Amino acid sequence: MSNNYSQSPELPIVHIIDDDDAVLDSLSLLFDSVEINAIGYHSGAAFLEAYQTPDFNLHTGCIVLDIRMPIMSGMDCQKKLNELGCPLPIIFITGHGDVSLAVEAMKNGAFDFIEKPLREQTLITAVQAAITRSIRDDERHQRVKDTTNKMNSLTEREKQILNRVIDGKANKTIASELHLSERTIEIHRAHVMEKMQAGSLAQLVRMVLDAANT
């Protein structure tokens, strides 16, 4: 079960996962003092349960995760989140004897780890950096989604021409390959540019390559 320490749906959220109530309370107060939204969970299982519900709020933000917890460790929680494709950056809270585990967590995709005793400013700086990356990744995801939707709106002929344009082929070459006139290629190409809302060939290429490399 989670504790909703603050709720502003339009803002990024820090998800704190720790089995120690005192830690949850203190971190909540810390983030509240710098106007960062935070929600607390007493275990990795509690967060995973919340994460997999249909109404989970997938806002930009990050996860602050204790590496050592009973039943489900922070590492086990990270592994499950990776399997679920969770996009939120993870910052691990570690003890002095957990550095090797923290390094392993970083290899598995963790954003950062902070050693106990926690230094408030160090944690705040790490969280702000994680949120910045989360926002950037979310914006890119939205751009790719928008590009994919536009590409799906193209006719099969327009898709054929788009693929050849991206390959750098001239209208004359495309016309020859598709057994069409150059004028017909020009018309279809204009429709592609309009539907893709691309102001230039360079912009069109960037959009499509960005979507393809996701």
Side-chain angles (χ1 to χ4, degrees), residues 69-125:
M69 293 184 292
I71 303 176
M72 176 182 284
S73 69
M75 298 286 289
D76 290 337
C77 183
Q78 179 195 32
K79 181 179 179 181
K80 182 62 177 178
L81 288 170
N82 286 344
E83 291 173 356
L84 294 172
C86 178
L88 299 173
I90 297 175
I91 298 172
F92 275 101
I93 299 175
T94 69
H96 290 305
D98 297 329
V99 174
S100 61
L101 288 177
V103 171
E104 182 182 348
M106 295 285 285
K107 291 179 180 178
N108 291 331
F111 180 79
D112 203 349
F113 68 91
I114 309 295
E115 289 186 82
K116 298 175 182 177
L118 297 176
R119 295 183 179 180
E120 293 184 353
Q121 190 54 54
T122 300
L123 180 58
I124 290 171
T125 299

Side-chain angles (χ1 to χ4, degrees), residues 132-173:
T132 296
R133 192 183 82 171
S134 177
I135 291 172
R136 184 179 67 244
D137 290 348
D138 185 65
E139 288 173 345
R140 182 173 185 273
H141 172 76
Q142 292 301 322
R143 286 198 306 272
V144 169
K145 183 179 179 181
D146 184 52
T147 297
T148 301
N149 288 338
K150 290 173 182 175
M151 291 175 66
N152 289 338
S153 74
L154 301 178
T155 65
E156 287 305 312
R157 179 66 77 190
E158 289 166 350
K159 290 177 182 177
Q160 290 175 338
I161 293 172
L162 171 63
N163 290 334
R164 286 166 171 78
V165 168
I166 298 303
D167 287 339
K169 295 180 179 179
N171 287 351
K172 183 176 182 179
T173 302

